[in-house]
Amino acid sequence: MSRGQQPPGTGPDVAGWLVSEARSVESPAPLLEALCQRLQAQGVPLARASISLFTLHPLLHGRSFRWRPGQGVSTEVHPHGLQHLPGFALSPFKALLDGSPGIHRRLEAPSAPGDFPMFDELRADGLTDYLALPVCFSDGARHAVSWATDAPGGFSDAQLALLHGLHPLLQLVLEVLARKDMTGVLLDTYLGRDTGRRILQGQIRRGDGETTSAVICLSDLRSFTALSDALPRDALLELLNAYFETMVGAFHAHGAEVLKFMGDAVLAIFRIDAGSPVEERCEAAARTVREAVAAATRDNVERRRQGLPTYEFGAALHVGDVMYGNIGATDRLDFTVIGPAVNLASRIGGLCAALNEPVLLSEAFVSHYQGDTKDLGEHVLKGVGMPVRIYTLASQAGTRPQALTAA
């Protein structure tokens, strides 16, 4: 085949796949894998390909997906700050993000003055040709895709024309995938993993929901009012974030759904169903709060060493039925849990400071929990008609994270 010839059937076959089946692919990794296989089958001698997408994410600036023959696709995550690193500043991707319409280099020729340092690495890997194109989304955001070959002479003119010709379709598919991923990330981040999934599945009308059994955990920061008065705004936010990181890390590690932050409080549930019997969920909840207390103690040691304010919290565990779903106004909804069981958990949590215990348990929780507990007697709770018997975990009785200070 001469350099100007088109591989038989290449354009229509790959293009048709991009506008049909490719749109249902779940993520960029399988998309890139399938696309490279189709291009290879049509005679394009790919030796390397990559897609770099930048996104809205609390921890990540973006992700790169890299394909090599026989190795599949590997994924690399990029934390915030990537764009300020020297290696990125001198890369073709930085040029694409800054507005370059595309970069093409025949790597069999010697490196030219001012060329990208990455090209020397590609030559050392035996690559002969490199093409990078910007992936431009409808909102103006720019991302990148690259193709490389080790074929003698590089890509043919027809193969380069094919890659350029398919690029508008690839941009459209990547934008669809990126939007789906971004929507899921934002819903998970701001609403919780299970809640985000339910909303994406269509549970968006006021009143949508269900009654479910759950272990309820409500945790709040001790002495928050005093801290709010004593600490500057930035120091208070840093302290809150440290406390929330401790709690949410423990909840997620044991399968809880963190539903919301309410000022200095965290509301989470461990759903009880046929696959997660109540005894297992109670054990998971107890393990969660034990680990959170231990993590807070370790964190406070380090915070004190750095001269930062320390923190302690109180957590209540209760078992009961809750209404789990959408409540609110017609145009402003909240997906949460409500019901008497939630109210009781909140009242029990309010006793943590008075009883000087980091973890308190309801009688309903203890009736299903198989670990050791300590009976703290009956207590009158505001809004509850009868005295309520309260317990704590035997391993936590009398323990608490190191004393709170506003250093």
Side-chain angles (χ1 to χ4, degrees), residues 76-160:
E76 182 179 352
V77 297
H78 306 298
H80 290 293
L82 164 78
Q83 63 273 33
H84 305 304
L85 297 177
F88 183 78
L90 298 174
S91 72
F93 297 110
K94 177 65 163 56
L96 294 175
L97 298 184
D98 287 345
S100 171
I103 297 167
H104 179 219
R105 289 292 187 276
R106 299 287 187 185
L107 298 173
E108 290 174 318
S111 179
D115 229 344
F116 297 105
M118 189 181 99
F119 290 157
D120 289 332
E121 299 174 14
L122 299 181
R123 288 187 182 94
D125 286 343
L127 299 179
T128 59
D129 206 352
Y130 174 84
L131 173 67
L133 298 171
V135 175
C136 303
F137 286 177
S138 57
D139 61 357
R142 293 173 72 90
H143 312 266
V145 62
S146 72
W147 310 98
T149 183
D150 56 5
F155 292 120
S156 71
D157 293 340
Q159 291 161 358
L160 288 171

Side-chain angles (χ1 to χ4, degrees), residues 112-373:
D115 229 344
F116 297 105
M118 189 181 99
F119 290 157
D120 289 332
E121 299 174 14
L122 299 181
R123 288 187 182 94
D125 286 343
L127 299 179
T128 59
D129 206 352
Y130 174 84
L131 173 67
L133 298 171
V135 175
C136 303
F137 286 177
S138 57
D139 61 357
R142 293 173 72 90
H143 312 266
V145 62
S146 72
W147 310 98
T149 183
D150 56 5
F155 292 120
S156 71
D157 293 340
Q159 291 161 358
L160 288 171
L162 170 64
L163 294 173
H164 279 283
L166 292 173
H167 191 67
L169 296 177
L170 179 58
Q171 287 185 124
L172 292 174
V173 175
L174 286 175
E175 181 160 8
V176 170
L177 294 180
R179 296 298 181 206
K180 286 167 59 178
D181 179 69
M182 189 182 304
T183 299
V185 166
L186 292 177
L187 286 174
D188 287 354
T189 300
Y190 285 95
L191 299 177
R193 289 175 290 192
D194 186 61
T195 299
R197 177 183 59 81
R198 287 168 178 265
I199 289 173
L200 283 175
Q201 290 176 347
Q203 293 188 32
I204 59 173
R205 296 187 305 166
R206 184 168 59 172
D208 280 351
E210 62 181 301
T211 297
T212 185
S213 296
V215 178
I216 304 152
C217 182
L218 202 148
S219 164
D220 66 352
L221 197 63
R222 297 253 193 108
S223 306
F224 183 66
T225 301
L227 282 168
S228 299
D229 292 337
L231 294 175
R233 184 202 65 176
D234 290 348
L236 182 65
L237 288 177
E238 187 280 331
L239 180 71
L240 271 174
N241 286 334
Y243 155 63
F244 288 142
E245 187 71 28
T246 294
M247 297 307 302
V248 174
F251 283 132
H252 282 172
H254 295 290
E257 175 74 3
V258 177
L259 295 176
K260 62 172 60 258
F261 302 108
M262 302 173 292
D264 64 316
V266 185
L267 174 62
I269 62 170
F270 296 79
R271 287 169 58 87
I272 299 166
D273 53 37
S276 302
V278 60
E279 292 79 11
E280 289 183 8
R281 305 310 272 158
C282 287
E283 173 57 34
R287 193 180 309 120
T288 295
V289 293
R290 282 197 301 266
E291 291 180 6
V293 170
T297 299
R298 293 191 301 271
D299 193 24
N300 283 338
V301 171
E302 179 62 22
R303 295 178 68 82
R304 185 173 287 104
R305 188 186 68 79
Q306 298 180 26
L308 296 172
T310 59
Y311 61 91
E312 58 183 297
F313 62 87
L317 298 178
H318 178 48
V319 174
D321 290 340
V322 296
M323 199 291 279
Y324 182 39
N326 278 307
I327 60 170
T330 54
D331 57 355
R332 178 59 176 90
L333 296 171
D334 190 15
F335 206 107
T336 187
V337 292
I338 59 172
V342 180
N343 297 335
L344 182 57
S346 177
R347 298 301 187 193
I348 293 173
L351 283 177
C352 287
L355 297 180
N356 196 31
E357 295 287 352
V359 181
L360 295 179
L361 317 172
S362 72
E363 195 161 16
F365 180 91
V366 171
S367 69
H368 298 290
Y369 177 57
Q370 298 174 343
D372 293 333
T373 60

Side-chain angles (χ1 to χ4, degrees), residues 2 20 23 252 313 382:
S2 69
S20 57
R23 294 182 300 168
H252 282 172
F313 62 87
K382 182 179 179 181

Side-chain angles (χ1 to χ4, degrees), residues 39-63:
L39 288 170
Q40 280 188 309
Q42 296 293 332
V44 181
L46 291 176
R48 170 172 156 164
S50 73
I51 295 171
S52 293
L53 298 175
F54 306 98
T55 187
L56 284 176
H57 193 285
L59 300 177
L60 303 179
H61 183 70
R63 296 181 179 89

